[in-house]
Amino acid sequence: NAGVTQTPKFRILKIGQSMTLQCAQDMNHNYMYWYRQDPGMGLKLIYYSVGAGITDKGEVPNGYNVSRSTTEDFPLRLELAAPSQTSVYFCASSYRGTYHNEKLFFGSGTQLSVL
Amino acid sequence: KQEVTQIPAALSVPEGENLVLNCSFTDSAIYNLQWFRQDPGKGLTSLLLIQSSQREQTSGRLNASLDKSSGRSTLYIAASQPGDSATYLCAVIRLFVGTDSWGKLQFGAGTQVVVTP
């Protein structure tokens, strides 16, 4: 099993450009999450999904969009990139929700710079 | 609002010394607490999960304790090795309330550990 796979690993965007961060998991997990990590800060939840076709906002959703058309994939879309979106982005997944004391599995991250 | 704090932000110890990492949280109404390890350029790896009814969890050289009344958790790593160098993060989930559809993890900023040979 590959686990949680994120692409790309690094990306530089110009202000106003758009891009999609890809996330795929092969563990048949129902729950998937997108986090961002700013330097010296904890992870903040952007969006999450409890299953195909179901998504909801986290703490910091502004400027992002998501979709979940399959169980495996959970892409994160940045429509108009801004310098404030410079961060490291992590995708994670779990079979059941976190109230079942289940561990999260994380991808290796995408380092994004918006200049 | 739950605040999760990890002090110190960075720590350097010689190989063989025991590591003690601290995590404090302001709201004791938690469902569980988790410790993660983060290596540079890599994602987070779950190390230990302590349910609110538990006092500690152990895995190999790692031991995590939980004291909800004082809002503290401590991660002990015995006989540290250079391979233990990483950033360690803790995260808590609050107790379920009627409006929750799932438990949101509230992360601390982490403690960066360097173990010198």
Side-chain angles (χ1 to χ4, degrees):
Chain A
N1 285 352
V4 180
T5 303
Q6 287 184 242
T7 56
K9 289 191 180 299
F10 304 94
R11 186 71 184 267
I12 298 174
L13 283 181
K14 293 182 179 178
I15 295 172
Q17 285 186 321
S18 301
M19 77 163 294
T20 299
L21 280 66
Q22 301 291 345
C23 175
Q25 53 88 11
D26 61 0
M27 297 174 282
N28 199 33
H29 284 175
N30 294 310
Y31 287 71
M32 295 187 75
Y33 317 84
W34 274 105
Y35 288 91
R36 61 177 286 172
Q37 184 179 35
D38 299 322
M41 307 286 284
L43 277 71
K44 299 287 187 184
L45 182 70
I46 305 171
Y47 270 96
Y48 68 97
S49 169
V50 302
I54 306 170
T55 63
D56 207 347
K57 297 177 181 179
E59 298 174 87
V60 290
N62 291 343
Y64 307 94
N65 278 301
V66 294
S67 60
R68 184 98 180 269
S69 57
T70 66
T71 300
E72 295 78 19
D73 300 298
F74 190 39
L76 178 71
R77 177 87 178 158
L78 283 72
E79 290 295 347
L80 292 170
S84 61
Q85 294 178 304
T86 295
S87 189
V88 181
Y89 292 84
F90 290 102
C91 179
S93 72
S94 63
Y95 182 66
R96 294 184 297 177
T98 44
Y99 279 128
H100 294 275
N101 288 313
E102 291 209 352
K103 296 180 179 179
L104 267 63
F105 293 81
F106 282 81
S108 58
T110 294
Q111 188 168 334
L112 176 67
S113 295
V114 182
L115 305 175
Chain B
K1 181 187 172 188
Q2 179 73 273
E3 300 283 345
V4 182
T5 305
Q6 293 185 249
I7 295 173
L11 182 62
S12 180
V13 298
E15 182 176 3
E17 193 166 298
N18 295 332
L19 275 165
V20 180
L21 305 178
N22 299 306
C23 173
S24 61
F25 46 94
T26 54
D27 185 352
S28 62
I30 64 169
Y31 182 78
N32 68 36
L33 183 145
Q34 301 182 42
W35 282 94
F36 295 86
R37 169 183 171 137
Q38 183 177 21
D39 293 286
K42 303 234 176 120
L44 281 68
T45 301
S46 180
L47 295 174
L48 291 169
L49 185 154
I50 311 176
Q51 298 178 41
S52 62
S53 58
Q54 298 174 322
R55 297 282 295 187
E56 65 178 347
Q57 276 287 347
T58 299
S59 176
R61 293 186 295 113
L62 276 61
N63 174 276
S65 65
L66 175 64
D67 184 345
K68 285 195 306 178
S69 61
S70 65
R72 292 178 187 274
S73 176
T74 303
L75 178 66
Y76 299 90
I77 303 178
S80 62
Q81 304 168 359
D84 294 327
S85 298
T87 298
Y88 293 84
L89 294 90
C90 67
V92 298
I93 298 175
R94 72 174 181 184
L95 279 176
F96 176 82
V97 295
T99 54
D100 286 344
S101 60
W102 70 288
K104 185 189 82 171
L105 281 161
Q106 190 78 28
F107 282 87
T111 295
Q112 184 176 7
V113 171
V114 175
V115 180
T116 55

